[in-house]
Amino acid sequence: MLVFEMSGAEVKTLMNRLLKEDVFDKFEVRGAEVCGFTKFTASGILDKTALPDGDKAKTPRSYCLWSELRPYVYDWVRGGRTPRSMKIIFSLGDEAVAKAHGNAAAMFLNLNFEEGTARFTTATAQKTFTMDKTVDQIWDQKILNFFKKYFPAAKIV
């Protein structure tokens, strides 16, 4: 498990990349909560009955992509005000998880923003219990590379 922390100017960069750019767009969202003037929540569960008929069969995933949810979250925080708090549970899609490691069941990147500080934590779930930490190491390395590319000033704590 890795923990990344950002504050100050790096939070502004994060919010721009999170809400206005496509940096997180390929992640699925397992849940989101934004507290501003009120609390907004999204389960992240994809309601396939709301999709056009042709897209239902082509969409094997169970969760929304960040690209689908991002415009709504942007509307929740629009107005130039940083939200009081924000929690988002991102995950890698099932296909990518299966390619990463045979025992991987899920790979998560959790965002917790409070009091001007953003913390990201990595987490994994495995299909069968093992003491082997290879799944964690693979995911942590992918996220470490992601942060080096997009958020080089983030501190690992």
Side-chain angles (χ1 to χ4, degrees):
M1 178 178 86
L2 291 176
V3 178
F4 296 89
E5 189 171 281
M6 298 177 210
S7 58
E10 190 64 18
V11 169
K12 184 174 182 172
T13 300
L14 167 65
M15 290 300 173
N16 279 328
R17 292 203 168 135
L18 180 69
L19 299 171
K20 296 179 179 179
E21 298 178 17
D22 64 356
V23 172
F24 292 89
D25 280 2
K26 292 183 180 179
F27 285 103
E28 292 182 354
V29 178
R30 300 288 180 109
E33 179 181 286
V34 178
C35 294
F37 68 92
T38 191
K39 184 188 289 186
F40 296 95
T41 60
S43 71
I45 297 171
L46 184 63
D47 181 359
K48 292 183 185 182
T49 63
L51 296 174
D53 288 337
D55 291 344
K56 289 177 187 175
K58 293 189 281 185
T59 308
R61 59 190 161 82
S62 299
Y63 297 94
C64 295
L65 295 173
W66 179 246
S67 61
E68 297 164 329
L69 194 56
R70 180 169 43 97
Y72 299 99
V73 176
Y74 178 76
D75 281 345
W76 294 345
V77 298
R78 192 168 33 177
R81 294 187 190 125
T82 303
R84 289 181 300 131
S85 67
M86 180 184 300
K87 295 177 185 178
I88 304 173
I89 303 167
F90 293 107
S91 67
L92 200 58
D94 289 341
E95 270 187 42
V97 169
K99 286 180 186 176
H101 192 278
N103 195 40
M107 296 176 161
F108 301 103
L109 179 63
N110 303 304
L111 165 61
N112 187 0
F113 173 77
E114 290 182 290
E115 299 177 12
T117 301
R119 284 182 193 83
F120 283 91
T121 57
T122 61
T124 63
Q126 298 190 44
K127 294 176 185 173
T128 58
F129 176 78
T130 179
M131 295 297 289
D132 182 8
K133 299 295 181 193
T134 305
V135 172
D136 295 337
Q137 293 165 350
I138 290 169
W139 182 234
D140 286 350
Q141 188 59 54
K142 286 182 183 288
I143 294 302
L144 187 60
N145 293 341
F146 176 82
F147 272 80
K148 282 181 181 177
K149 181 176 181 178
Y150 295 109
F151 307 103
K155 297 175 189 148
I156 299 175
V157 292

